[in-house]
Amino acid sequence: MNRTEILRRKDISHFWHPYTDINSLERREFPVIEKAEGVYLVDTEGHRLLDGISSWWCVNLGHSHPDIIDAIRKQSGRLQNSITGGMSHTEVIRLSERIATISPEGLTRVYYASDGACSVEAAMRISLQYWWNLGKPEKRKMISLSGGYHGDTLGCVGLGYISRFHKSVEHAVKRSITAESPHCFHCRYHRKPENCGLECFASMEKAITENSGSTAAVIAEPVCQGAGGMRIYPPEYTARLRKLCDENDVLLILDEIAVGFGRTGKMFASELAGIVPDMMCIGKGLTGGSLPMSAVVASEAVYDAFRSDSRTDRTFYHGHTFCGNPIAAAAAYAAIDVYERDNVLGNVEMLSEMLSEAFGKYRGIPGVYGSTALGCMSALEISEESGGAGKAFEIADTAHGKGLFIRPLGSVLYLWPPLVTTKKEMEIMLQIFEDSLIENLLTTPRLKRVTL
Ligand SMILES: Cc1ncc(COP(=O)(O)O)c(C=O)c1O
């Protein structure tokens, strides 16, 4: 047995993998990654694997970025952790100022957590307590979009309920009111981008207007519902949502955990809609995907509602041991430097053109039901008649064999490469992606090859 086989055996003896079917894992020769650099993951055999999904959409700046490593190394020699309840430390102070500077205007108060789900939990609790503090405890409902995903803690599952993932715990979850998903791949109104009148928004309008007196907040992933199937939808939806929340005295929380930090071509997706939410959840790309850190960035108005006076205690009694951890804060500060200094958004513009062109062409491959791309996000769906989710997994396996790591979401295959991917690297990823589609979808010899 070689080293990799020994490691795999130890792995399946003790490591409980997230989102992984145990039986199929035990049958597969899954990669064991030992190091990573740039857009490449390197396994224990020395194989280099292009990271086509930025390791769950977070390694925006590529793996092992030297500036982030340097910041982590220096900070870990100075201060590894220090309580932030009632006192502070230098790293969290300078990072908070920096986040306030880069966030949409008016979002100035930063509350830290560790994973994305924890920041959504915090945002939900802030919105509930906000109304309680203002003397309106009856505003306690949440509204979200069907097909949304906000994390896997029970509170988050109530907001972003995906039946395939969450039905076993439905009984333990308090579900939000859900409005219809802006699901352009399967538009119920048979609209195309050219004639879309956002007909699906009527459902959100109904949910908010009928429940405004009892609703604390609406939460949505702006521009793209990620885990729900990479459903990219028009920014205009979010602009209308802002207006409707204002008119009905309901807070708006935008979950930018996946799309924030440049993924859409803007630093934050809300900029595409030209609006500012009351709270924004960030995570993943905040540290360039290097260390767990997430945050809720809130407006002054929200923060002010938490000031106590001589009669009422309005403190936010919610926190995590590692809130604002100094090492993660140093990594985040270094990452923001890189986003700004290296014109990462400029690179996304280049990648965006390449992805749009390629995914536009893939739509012509028999078996591809539809495709979509925006910024550094691109996805296509394999039709049910062509094998749906099963076929998508086969395509991903083929891509893996050719050196590209992708991981489908059901029947949806997507490419979300690091935002610093070069033109050449993108060309290689697209070539492998295309070859894997063709090999698996065009099986009759006559159709073996199409020009894309
Ligand atoms: C939009 C969105 N919100 C929240 C989360 C949860 O983040 P985490 O996995 O860090 O808890 C995710 C994770 O993919 C996400 O995509």
Side-chain angles (χ1 to χ4, degrees):
M1 211 185 285
N2 69 23
R3 176 168 170 252
T4 305
E5 284 158 359
I6 293 168
L7 284 166
R8 275 196 204 109
R9 180 162 291 198
K10 288 187 181 185
D11 176 290
I12 60 177
S13 302
H14 299 292
F15 178 26
W16 191 333
H17 292 246
Y19 279 96
T20 303
D21 173 64
I22 296 172
N23 294 330
S24 58
L25 181 80
E26 287 175 353
R27 281 195 302 269
R28 280 180 50 230
E29 292 186 356
F30 55 87
V32 179
I33 304 301
E34 188 154 45
K35 59 180 185 172
E37 51 204 13
V39 296
Y40 286 96
L41 299 162
V42 185
D43 73 13
T44 42
E45 316 264 281
H47 298 131
R48 286 156 66 79
L49 203 51
L50 286 153
D51 188 349
I53 62 164
S54 307
S55 286
W56 263 338
W57 328 336
C58 65
V59 186
N60 288 357
L61 303 174
H63 294 272
S64 304
H65 196 291
D67 293 12
I68 300 177
I69 293 176
D70 195 42
I72 292 173
R73 193 174 280 136
K74 287 193 175 126
Q75 186 54 39
S76 50
R78 263 195 308 258
L79 173 71
Q80 304 80 52
N81 201 16
S82 168
I83 179 173
T84 47
M87 58 189 241
S88 200
H89 59 76
T90 49
E91 283 310 302
V92 83
I93 293 170
R94 72 176 192 141
L95 177 63
S96 306
E97 186 182 33
R98 190 79 186 273
I99 291 176
T101 309
I102 62 166
S103 291
E105 179 126 30
L107 297 184
T108 47
R109 299 290 179 165
V110 191
Y111 180 89
Y112 293 95
S114 39
D115 289 294
C118 298
S119 85
V120 171
E121 290 278 348
M124 186 171 13
R125 244 188 95 168
I126 291 171
S127 65
L128 296 172
Q129 192 178 330
Y130 170 85
W131 292 111
W132 192 87
N133 284 354
L134 293 185
K136 294 189 177 175
E138 68 281 6
K139 283 175 80 69
R140 60 174 68 159
K141 290 182 189 156
M142 302 291 296
I143 297 177
S144 61
L145 284 170
S146 73
Y149 176 83
H150 300 286
D152 284 326
T153 55
L154 292 181
C156 292
V157 168
L159 300 176
Y161 181 86
I162 297 180
S163 167
R164 194 159 62 93
F165 302 159
H166 301 137
K167 58 179 175 291
S168 59
V169 293
E170 189 182 6
H171 59 280
V173 162
K174 186 162 169 39
R175 297 280 297 275
S176 58
I177 299 166
T178 46
E180 182 183 326
S181 166
H183 195 357
C184 303
F185 265 176
H186 294 273
C187 178
R188 283 180 53 202
Y189 309 95
H190 309 292
R191 299 293 186 188
K192 297 271 174 252
E194 337 45 283
N195 65 358
C196 168
L198 284 186
E199 285 76 5
C200 56
F201 192 74
S203 159
M204 178 60 88
E205 200 156 2
K206 187 166 183 291
I208 295 179
T209 51
E210 286 182 357
N211 297 285
S212 58
S214 56
T215 297
V218 178
I219 184 165
E221 296 156 87
V223 178
C224 177
Q225 293 188 288
M230 298 303 166
R231 303 176 183 184
I232 296 175
Y233 64 97
E236 173 62 16
Y237 188 103
T238 309
R240 283 207 205 169
L241 186 54
R242 172 71 281 179
K243 188 160 176 286
L244 197 60
C245 286
D246 284 343
E247 289 164 358
N248 288 277
D249 216 11
V250 166
L251 294 173
L252 175 61
I253 305 167
L254 290 185
D255 178 348
E256 296 240 13
I257 288 160
V259 293
F261 291 97
R263 182 58 61 184
T264 66
K266 297 281 184 197
M267 197 60 164
F268 298 105
S270 59
E271 294 170 42
L272 286 173
I275 58 107
V276 179
D278 298 294
M279 278 178 267
M280 168 173 87
C281 295
I282 52 176
K284 293 191 188 273
L286 169 59
T287 61
S290 62
L291 286 175
M293 174 174 256
S294 64
V296 180
V297 195
S299 68
E300 286 295 313
V302 168
Y303 185 74
D304 273 347
F306 288 76
R307 268 179 215 288
S308 303
D309 59 28
S310 54
R311 279 171 301 138
T312 317
D313 179 5
R314 300 196 178 92
T315 307
F316 188 45
Y317 291 109
H318 180 95
H320 302 278
T321 307
F322 295 108
C323 272
N325 173 265
I327 302 175
Y333 196 91
I336 296 171
D337 272 346
V338 177
Y339 283 110
E340 293 194 334
R341 188 199 61 209
D342 292 357
N343 186 22
V344 171
L345 295 183
N347 203 56
V348 173
E349 216 173 300
M350 181 268 294
L351 297 173
S352 170
E353 276 176 30
M354 294 177 79
L355 288 167
S356 293
E357 194 191 332
F359 276 70
K361 287 180 193 164
Y362 299 158
R363 216 171 293 150
I365 300 177
V368 174
Y369 177 82
S371 70
T372 177
L374 175 80
C376 206
M377 314 181 287
S378 55
L380 57 78
E381 187 171 326
I382 304 299
S383 67
E384 280 314 306
E385 308 80 67
S386 296
K391 181 61 79 178
F393 269 97
E394 285 170 25
I395 295 167
D397 258 358
T398 305
H400 179 189
K402 294 175 186 293
L404 170 66
F405 178 68
I406 48 175
R407 197 178 137 91
L409 285 162
S411 55
V412 173
L413 283 160
Y414 64 95
L415 260 184
W416 277 42
L419 309 184
V420 295
T421 303
T422 63
K423 186 164 185 283
K424 183 81 209 144
E425 289 163 343
M426 191 74 253
E427 279 167 3
I428 301 170
M429 285 196 207
L430 287 170
Q431 192 59 57
I432 297 177
F433 196 88
E434 177 183 320
D435 289 347
S436 308
L437 285 175
I438 290 170
E439 271 179 41
N440 285 278
L441 290 172
L442 303 185
T443 44
T444 43
R446 199 166 54 81
L447 292 173
K448 195 83 191 168
R449 179 87 211 174
V450 291
T451 310
L452 291 171

